[in-house]
Amino acid sequence: MSIKIGSISIVSLLLLNNILTTPAMAAGCNSPLNTTRKIWKKWDETILATSCITTATIVTFGAGTPAASAACIKQSSLFLKAADTMVLAFNALIGDSRLTIGPRPILFNDTQDGGLIGPIDRTFLSAYPMDKNNVTVSVKKLDGRAATEVIICKVATDGTATKVGEINFPRGADNIGQELSKTVTGMENHLLQVRINTITPLFQFKYQLKATK
């Protein structure tokens, strides 16, 4: 039996208080392994189909190996062709819209807007491995009060995700309009993953994401 204050029970108030006062767990990479494996598999098929690697390369390094992928990255124009093909392939596999449940593709040198209500996160993935060692991730807070962390990871060919950087926005409205950036290294021949994780329950975080390499 629960006691009611107006139309709200004491039990409901206690549950709500627990949600509001319990800190959310800090987010790690938590890479969507199934998706990253699909991307790497498609990448292996694409670099062969676009002649970014040759059968001789496969004989030397083996198909689907980091070395075979690295060989393609050294072929600048062919790599760009393969990368463009992968963007289309990613959209076909995962889809790209604000309503997409799975990871969204990272659009390099462009801005991507979104909004989250905590505690929830949004994952962005590159559609192809990086041809540069350094990548800069910038996030601008457009609106909201939720404390938010941005986890930057690199994903190897076997799907292993490693955290390489983090950006944090504290709770409150004082930092609306603030833009924070982080340059991470060791990215060549890895997928880039960015997770925007809102920590404060029931509070919003609107953002603008940009990645450059």
Side-chain angles (χ1 to χ4, degrees):
M1 180 176 176
S2 62
I3 301 172
K4 289 188 175 182
I5 300 176
S7 61
I8 303 175
S9 70
I10 294 296
V11 172
S12 297
L13 287 172
L14 290 173
L15 288 173
L16 179 59
N17 180 71
N18 186 60
I19 292 173
L20 292 173
T21 57
T22 301
M25 295 294 290
C29 291
N30 293 344
S31 178
L33 187 60
N34 187 48
T35 300
T36 55
R37 282 175 174 169
K38 285 181 180 179
I39 293 174
W40 279 115
K41 183 176 185 297
K42 189 64 179 177
W43 175 249
D44 294 335
E45 296 170 356
T46 299
I47 60 178
L48 183 59
T50 57
S51 300
C52 193
I53 61 170
T54 63
T55 51
T57 304
I58 294 176
V59 170
T60 303
F61 298 117
T65 63
S69 177
C72 172
I73 288 172
K74 290 180 172 60
Q75 309 298 319
S76 300
S77 59
L78 292 175
F79 169 81
L80 292 176
K81 180 180 178 181
D84 288 342
T85 302
M86 283 299 297
V87 171
L88 297 176
F90 190 107
N91 291 340
L93 284 171
I94 309 300
D96 178 23
S97 80
R98 294 188 181 190
L99 301 179
T100 300
I101 295 175
R104 290 181 61 191
I106 292 174
L107 306 178
F108 287 96
N109 305 314
D110 199 358
T111 57
Q112 295 171 268
D113 296 350
L116 299 168
I117 296 178
I120 198 170
D121 67 284
R122 162 67 73 185
T123 298
F124 291 83
L125 271 172
S126 62
Y128 51 86
M130 299 297 93
D131 59 327
K132 307 293 183 184
N133 196 50
N134 296 344
V135 177
T136 299
V137 174
S138 300
V139 178
K140 183 176 183 179
K141 179 176 179 177
L142 302 179
D143 199 4
R145 299 173 60 85
T148 302
E149 57 186 3
V150 181
I151 308 298
I152 308 167
C153 305
K154 63 179 184 179
V155 185
T157 53
D158 63 357
T160 302
T162 304
K163 180 177 173 180
V164 291
E166 183 173 346
I167 297 170
N168 288 281
F169 290 89
R171 176 176 170 175
D174 294 343
N175 53 1
I176 291 175
Q178 182 181 37
E179 183 172 11
L180 299 177
S181 299
K182 181 73 175 181
T183 298
V184 295
T185 61
M187 294 301 302
E188 186 172 331
N189 208 21
H190 287 78
L191 301 178
L192 170 66
Q193 176 186 293
V194 178
R195 291 187 70 218
I196 300 176
N197 182 52
T198 50
I199 300 172
T200 314
L202 307 181
F203 278 48
Q204 186 181 47
F205 182 81
K206 286 188 176 182
Y207 60 86
Q208 185 176 83
L209 169 70
K210 184 175 183 180
T212 55
K213 60 183 179 68

